[in-house]
Amino acid sequence: MSRGGARPGAGRPPGSRNKITLEDGRTLGELARERTEFALDVLVSVASDTKAPPSARITAAIAILNQGWGKPPQRHELADAPEVDYTKPPSARIIRPGNEEFEEIELND
């Protein structure tokens, strides 16, 4: 039995419509963008509803902020990560087995 590649009868038949394209030619994304005001109204009503669970209110508030201001940039920090000076050419460290000392060499083009 062959694996991968083209198979007879597989895929969407030529000339058939993409399932994401609606009858009038709009895509699902276009349809969703038309409902932006409604979705924002729902988020605001959930965030404002004092009877809603706090988790739902917080989630709605975060969604509103992210849409209005964009998601905040994420910063990743590694514990005990060495500082890297990107202005210098790269170097390599050669560590000999059984010895904790290393030899640093410059990598040149």
Side-chain angles (χ1 to χ4, degrees), residues 27-68:
T27 64
L28 186 57
E30 291 168 338
L31 184 63
R33 282 187 288 279
E34 291 175 7
R35 304 297 291 163
T36 300
E37 188 174 342
F38 168 76
L40 185 58
D41 289 343
V42 169
L43 288 172
V44 169
S45 70
V46 171
S48 303
D49 184 1
T50 57
K51 293 181 181 178
S55 60
R57 296 180 68 199
I58 291 169
T59 301
I62 290 171
I64 293 167
L65 289 172
N66 288 345
Q67 289 301 316

Side-chain angles (χ1 to χ4, degrees), residues 52-107:
S55 60
R57 296 180 68 199
I58 291 169
T59 301
I62 290 171
I64 293 167
L65 289 172
N66 288 345
Q67 289 301 316
W69 298 98
K71 287 188 175 184
Q74 293 186 359
R75 183 173 176 192
H76 301 283
E77 289 189 24
L78 301 174
D80 302 326
E83 283 291 318
V84 178
D85 184 0
Y86 291 104
T87 61
K88 292 183 177 179
S91 62
R93 290 183 175 178
I94 299 173
I95 302 173
R96 306 204 188 286
N99 188 352
E100 295 199 10
E101 294 180 19
F102 60 87
E103 175 185 349
E104 191 161 326
I105 60 171
E106 294 284 329
L107 299 177

Side-chain angles (χ1 to χ4, degrees), residues 13-29:
S16 65
R17 296 185 65 83
N18 186 337
K19 291 182 180 180
I20 295 178
T21 305
L22 303 174
E23 294 298 321
D24 60 2
R26 293 180 298 166
T27 64
L28 186 57

